[in-house]
Amino acid sequence: MADLPDLRIGIDVGGTNTDAVALDAEGRVVAKAKRPTTPDVTEGLRAALDAVLAELGQGQDRVGRVMLGTTHATNAILERRNLGRVAVLRLGAPATTSVPPLSGWPDDLRAAVSAGEAIVPGGHYVDGREIGPPGLDAVRRFLDAALNAAAADAVAVTSVFSPASGEHERAVEELVKAEYGLPVSVSHEIGSLGLLERENATVLNAALYGVAAHVTEALVTALAERGLGARPYLAQNDGTLMTLEHAARLPVSTIGSGPANSLRGAAYLSGVRDAIVVDVGGTSTDLGVLAGGFPRESAAAVEIGGVLTNFRMPDILAIALGGGTVVRSGGVGPDSVGYRIAGEALVFGGSTATMTDAAVAAGRSPREADGWHERLRTAVEAGDVPESTLKRAVAVADEMVIDAVDRMALGRTDRPLVAVGGGAFLLPDDIPGASRVVRPEHAEVANAVGAAIALASGRVDTILPTGDSRTDAIERAKEEAAARAVAAGADPSGVEIVDLIEVPLSYLSEPAVRIHVKAAGPLAR
Amino acid sequence: MRTGSLAAIGAIREHGEVPLVHLDDLSDDALIVPLSGIGAPTVSHEMIHSADEPKRIAEEIERLFGRPPSAIMSSEIGGSNGVIPVAWAAQLGLPLLDADGMGRAFPEVQMVSMYVAGLPADLVIMSDIVGNVVTIRPIDGLWSERLARAVCVAAGSSALMADYVLTAARARGAVIEGTVTRAIEVGRATEGAADPLGALQDRLGAARLITGKLTDVERRTTGGFVRGTATIEGTGAERGRRLTLELQNENLVALEDGRVRAMVPDLITVVDTETAAAIQTEALRYGQRVTVLAWPCDPLWRTPKGLETAGPRAFGYDLDYVPVEELIAHG
């Protein structure tokens, strides 16, 4: 029995810290660690993993799965590093020519990514008719010219109305793979309606193949070096997991997994499925909303590295308030001492007054705070900071949190607030807008817990006619979403439809609905 | 939503800057083409216009009138319809007229100054993404709308449309002049300003109806329009006050304690208190910190025909129109 692979490790790479936890078969946290995030990300990941394995001791043989939520892809885009060159193809000409691909991209990102762009014939109307047959010869001419001029690492293909009619994208994908041997990103696998935003996400996805391979290799190598036979997964932006094979095809989906993990972890640790979640870090505080155990998603378009995409991301409100936020007589922040808090804050014997100090002065402190009060008292008595300044800072910070909670709650005041993150002790016990404040155990590593407990999922977003065939069409969309969840690693017997949204469309020749389906389930054994 | 400005920036880069002309700069027989995109919003985010659509319309106008158009005009300066004509003008190498047909935004096609001025709606020219061109000679505005809608649906719910093609002579008094300049001035005054809200208010000559928090938005979709009510509760010095806005794609009536503070066709705009950026009705959301501004519409809308077309009763409100400056003075 001792060899049963019943443990799973969740790792979350955040801006300041890399957190790792191990959960047992019953889902209890049996080991946890926090290590600074390193510039290359991978070193911090290894350090956090080693710390958890050391705590597990002999138990490390029982680790069956490792789930990783990482900022590799986000960093690559923000820093324009390690990005692949992408030949960008759009099918739709003569439609859409008034806004060519990559319009509105920052010049440096465009220069780093583009291996040329073209709009060729193809694509569909909203009702499923072809605008024209796919211009396969035009595709060949474009690729021949593009590859002649510069090397391309991948091709991105976006066809008008492909979320409803994906066959032209598939035809081009087959051609490129067969004749050019390049990897292809097709937009209907990546985004929903909204041509430019979906195209942007598809191009970023194609540019991230190299980064995905690097992360995958780093994780697999780290596991192999430690003699772990665990199966690895990557976390994605909706709080669910992908197999490495899946992540290799859809690396862009890993962007934004951090907030989603933190929300899911908060739900899990607190046992609350509908709540406002407040994750207090070192520099900032993220607020999100749990609806039925999943993050409420943002309705607004999401910008990544200056590029607009239509990803469905958790609806997050970030405010400049964290444990390391600097407190002065004039106010609170927005600057923070960040990871240097362990040397600079008064409670650690440093000389900078931070929100952590203000909270401790107000009688709020984490479970383990050895010597904090004494050192703070010494600093106050030495005149490093007036007590009134610390008091006022707590009042200002509470007001910031109350205001932000109110914005996220949309007028509802009957839901609890779940406080997580390393700085959760900063939050007051009574917050108008929340029915009560829940402080679950292990809240400081909620994001890593969220990664460890995540499900696998699949989505479909398309337009369907509302006539007699509507019910069948919706059933087919559900089946497709479930199949995509299984492809992402879910156990076929455990997949459920967790989200179904129908929006009627106006001004069309035939009545139609836009439908969004999401299926999710536990990972297959 | 951002498609309009992306198209404009791209077209200017490719074809050069677009000159802005005033009505007085044009000879009497110069042809002005009011252009607008029509179609379903969901479709317009996916089926972006072809760069050739304006060209097809300009060619058809030359065939019909025996001379090429002299300027492009925005039918509606408010929202993206105010920006995308810059792209069309650039693609055609034509100037943009410093005028539009509304001086604001309105939800219905007949709510244009050319209609109020009594010009006939007897010619509609449409082009679509694949190059089809349709010319319609309707007997009145109702048929113009009905036939244009049918063509648009057949074309895949996306088309470009020119209606009320007019000479500079006929345009005098039938279009609202100076609105493009005004829009540019608003942008210049607020961008990077230390007090964007104050700068915006000064530039528009607007009254501040309330500064507060949006506490309720109720929406219902009827007949293709989003109708609803938004409630803003005063904050800070204005705590205890409460303003409600009646919405129908646009903000139509502002009420406080049962009294009207401003009404259509005067302009009522909800802006972010911090940035002064306008918030469109579909983006109104609980918790936003907003300021509601109101200012006078163009005098054309205050004529009997103007009020009949776009006054409170045209939107189903049983209210006698009172200009916003009088409501504020007596408030």
Side-chain angles (χ1 to χ4, degrees):
Chain A
M1 289 299 282
D3 292 321
L4 205 68
D6 57 349
L7 296 181
R8 52 208 149 131
I9 289 178
I11 306 171
D12 184 272
V13 181
T16 310
N17 286 308
T18 297
D19 299 345
V21 295
L23 302 190
D24 68 11
E26 277 74 50
R28 286 175 304 226
V29 176
V30 292
K32 58 183 174 184
K34 226 179 224 310
R35 291 290 179 273
T37 296
T38 49
D40 73 338
V41 179
T42 308
E43 278 316 301
L45 190 162
R46 286 162 178 254
L49 179 62
D50 281 338
V52 160
L53 290 176
E55 208 178 319
L56 285 177
Q58 292 299 316
Q60 64 172 276
D61 298 337
R62 286 162 45 208
V63 177
R65 295 193 173 106
V66 174
M67 291 82 163
L68 171 66
T70 177
T71 51
H72 275 93
T74 312
N75 292 352
I77 293 171
L78 294 181
E79 296 163 12
R80 285 86 163 109
R81 275 199 308 154
N82 307 322
L83 295 173
R85 287 209 168 267
V86 182
V88 182
L89 265 168
R90 186 194 292 169
L91 307 177
T96 79
T97 47
S98 66
V99 185
L102 312 189
S103 291
W105 278 45
D107 289 339
D108 58 344
L109 185 59
R110 183 181 184 144
V113 169
S114 178
E117 306 116 39
I119 308 177
V120 303
H124 291 77
Y125 285 102
V126 61
D127 56 11
R129 280 178 295 153
E130 278 188 348
I131 296 172
L136 299 181
D137 285 334
V139 168
R140 290 188 183 97
R141 278 197 302 276
F142 163 68
L143 287 177
D144 290 342
L147 296 176
N148 237 336
D153 301 302
V155 179
V157 185
T158 307
S159 177
V160 174
F161 276 110
S162 68
S165 317
E167 57 265 34
H168 287 185
E169 287 183 356
R170 269 186 228 109
V172 172
E173 181 184 22
E174 276 171 32
L175 181 155
V176 174
K177 282 186 173 163
E179 300 178 20
Y180 296 87
L182 288 172
V184 183
S185 282
V186 288
S187 83
H188 70 272
E189 287 187 3
I190 288 163
S192 56
L193 293 170
L195 181 81
L196 300 178
E197 292 88 352
R198 185 175 73 251
E199 180 176 68
N200 287 344
T202 306
V203 176
L204 289 179
N205 190 66
L208 288 168
Y209 284 140
V211 174
H214 171 72
V215 175
T216 304
E217 203 197 304
L219 183 57
V220 170
T221 309
L223 297 183
E225 282 170 359
R226 287 154 186 79
L228 294 178
R231 220 179 299 164
Y233 296 87
L234 281 180
Q236 53 183 345
N237 52 34
D238 65 350
T240 62
L241 296 171
M242 305 182 278
T243 60
L244 293 192
E245 297 73 44
H246 205 69
R249 283 202 4 255
L250 296 174
V252 79
S253 306
T254 63
I255 291 171
S257 63
N261 283 340
S262 148
L263 282 157
R264 292 270 301 153
Y268 179 81
L269 291 171
S270 64
V272 178
R273 291 173 62 78
D274 292 281
I276 307 281
V277 175
V278 183
D279 185 340
V280 187
T283 306
S284 66
T285 293
D286 285 350
L287 292 95
V289 176
L290 276 171
F294 280 90
R296 181 175 81 198
E297 292 178 335
S298 170
V302 177
E303 209 172 90
I304 302 170
V307 172
L308 218 52
T309 68
N310 55 0
F311 268 149
R312 296 181 65 103
M313 293 277 206
D315 185 10
I316 296 292
L317 175 63
I319 56 174
L321 178 71
T325 300
V326 177
V327 167
R328 301 182 184 84
S329 57
V332 172
D335 52 326
S336 167
V337 296
Y339 67 90
R340 301 189 313 274
I341 186 168
E344 297 205 5
L346 303 178
V347 297
F348 294 113
S351 57
T352 308
T354 65
M355 267 317 299
T356 295
D357 303 308
V360 170
R364 302 174 192 169
S365 51
R367 289 192 176 92
E368 287 149 29
D370 293 342
W372 286 24
H373 287 92
E374 294 70 21
R375 283 194 291 271
L376 180 62
R377 200 176 311 126
T378 308
V380 170
E381 279 164 9
D384 286 2
V385 59
E387 216 163 339
S388 60
T389 298
L390 296 177
K391 266 210 178 99
R392 201 162 45 241
V394 170
V396 169
D398 285 359
E399 206 46 56
M400 286 169 73
V401 171
I402 289 165
D403 184 71
V405 168
D406 178 56
R407 283 179 189 230
M408 292 303 279
L410 306 179
R412 278 181 63 182
T413 57
D414 56 339
R415 281 172 298 199
L417 182 150
V418 182
V420 297
F425 65 92
L426 257 62
L427 300 173
D429 281 322
D430 184 23
I431 296 178
S435 59
R436 65 200 159 97
V437 174
V438 182
R439 298 176 188 274
E441 205 184 348
H442 311 302
E444 75 281 9
V445 287
N447 43 10
V449 172
I453 55 129
L455 308 174
S457 76
R459 312 165 168 273
V460 168
D461 191 330
T462 189
I463 287 178
L464 301 171
T466 48
D468 298 338
S469 55
R470 174 181 158 276
T471 321
D472 290 348
I474 289 180
E475 279 312 311
R476 273 201 305 281
K478 285 184 184 172
E479 283 165 20
E480 175 65 24
R484 288 184 187 182
V486 171
D491 180 349
S493 64
V495 173
E496 285 176 60
I497 302 298
V498 295
D499 202 7
L500 177 65
I501 303 169
E502 258 186 275
V503 185
L505 301 179
S506 54
Y507 295 133
L508 300 177
S509 50
E510 284 173 40
V513 288
R514 179 171 177 179
I515 182 170
H516 168 79
V517 194
K518 179 176 169 184
L523 294 171
R525 279 261 155 216
Chain B
M1 54 203 156
R2 252 178 29 132
T3 313
S5 46
L6 288 176
I9 292 165
I12 289 170
R13 261 188 205 154
E14 192 180 341
H15 303 283
E17 292 202 0
V18 174
L20 196 59
V21 289
H22 302 276
L23 210 41
D24 293 342
D25 302 336
L26 297 175
S27 63
D28 278 358
D29 62 349
L31 286 174
I32 297 162
V33 185
L35 271 185
S36 51
I38 65 167
T42 316
V43 172
S44 69
H45 291 150
E46 184 72 24
M47 184 68 83
I48 292 162
H49 288 290
S50 162
D52 293 332
E53 286 172 66
K55 213 176 300 166
R56 299 282 100 80
I57 287 187
E59 287 163 2
E60 181 70 358
I61 286 172
E62 190 165 358
R63 266 196 295 276
L64 293 172
F65 291 84
R67 60 189 192 278
S70 297
I72 295 300
M73 185 181 90
S74 160
S75 296
E76 176 184 36
I77 192 75
S80 66
N81 280 328
V83 180
I84 196 162
V86 176
W88 296 327
Q91 284 155 4
L92 291 170
L94 288 176
L96 184 70
L97 187 67
D98 188 6
D100 78 306
M102 296 186 188
R104 48 164 299 154
F106 274 129
E108 294 180 37
V109 283
Q110 80 280 7
M111 295 172 173
V112 289
S113 57
M114 290 79 86
Y115 173 78
V116 176
L119 299 187
D122 57 0
L123 173 65
V124 177
I125 302 161
M126 299 173 70
S127 65
D128 74 357
I129 54 146
V130 291
N132 293 306
V133 177
V134 178
T135 298
I136 304 169
R137 300 276 190 186
I139 55 168
D140 59 21
L142 193 68
W143 276 103
S144 164
E145 156 79 7
R146 193 179 286 165
L147 294 171
R149 188 61 69 193
V151 170
C152 174
V153 167
S157 296
S158 168
L160 190 62
M161 175 173 82
D163 58 354
Y164 291 107
V165 175
L166 70 180
T167 60
R170 294 191 90 174
R172 295 193 177 103
V175 299
I176 298 175
E177 293 188 59
T179 48
V180 176
T181 296
R182 204 161 184 217
I184 293 170
E185 284 171 358
V186 164
R188 289 208 175 119
T190 52
E191 197 177 57
D195 171 19
L197 182 60
L200 177 65
Q201 207 182 340
D202 287 350
R203 180 57 60 182
L204 295 171
R208 200 183 286 212
L209 298 186
I210 195 168
T211 291
K213 182 178 106 172
L214 218 148
T215 55
D216 189 44
V217 192
E218 182 244 309
R219 291 189 184 89
R220 50 200 184 276
T221 306
T222 45
F225 295 116
V226 179
R227 290 164 211 264
T229 310
T231 306
I232 295 108
E233 288 182 12
T235 49
E238 297 177 35
R239 196 173 290 275
R241 290 182 53 203
R242 167 201 278 253
L243 188 88
T244 58
L245 291 177
E246 292 294 319
L247 320 169
Q248 187 175 314
N249 285 30
E250 315 300 332
N251 309 303
L252 298 179
V253 182
L255 291 155
E256 185 173 357
D257 298 327
R259 286 186 314 123
V260 176
R261 308 260 343 260
M263 69 180 107
V264 70
D266 287 327
L267 292 98
I268 304 169
T269 294
V270 183
V271 302
D272 182 304
T273 299
E274 205 176 311
T275 64
I279 306 172
Q280 295 189 318
T281 52
E282 68 268 22
L284 293 173
R285 211 181 120 168
Y286 175 94
Q288 285 167 336
R289 270 50 177 177
V290 299
T291 292
V292 182
L293 302 177
W295 70 99
C297 63
D298 189 86
L300 187 89
W301 294 114
R302 294 180 169 184
T303 62
K305 180 90 182 281
L307 289 172
E308 184 195 308
T309 307
R313 288 204 166 77
F315 292 95
Y317 301 103
D318 190 19
L319 295 169
D320 291 320
Y321 172 72
V322 182
V324 61
E325 52 275 33
E326 285 178 34
L327 289 170
I328 298 299
H330 300 124

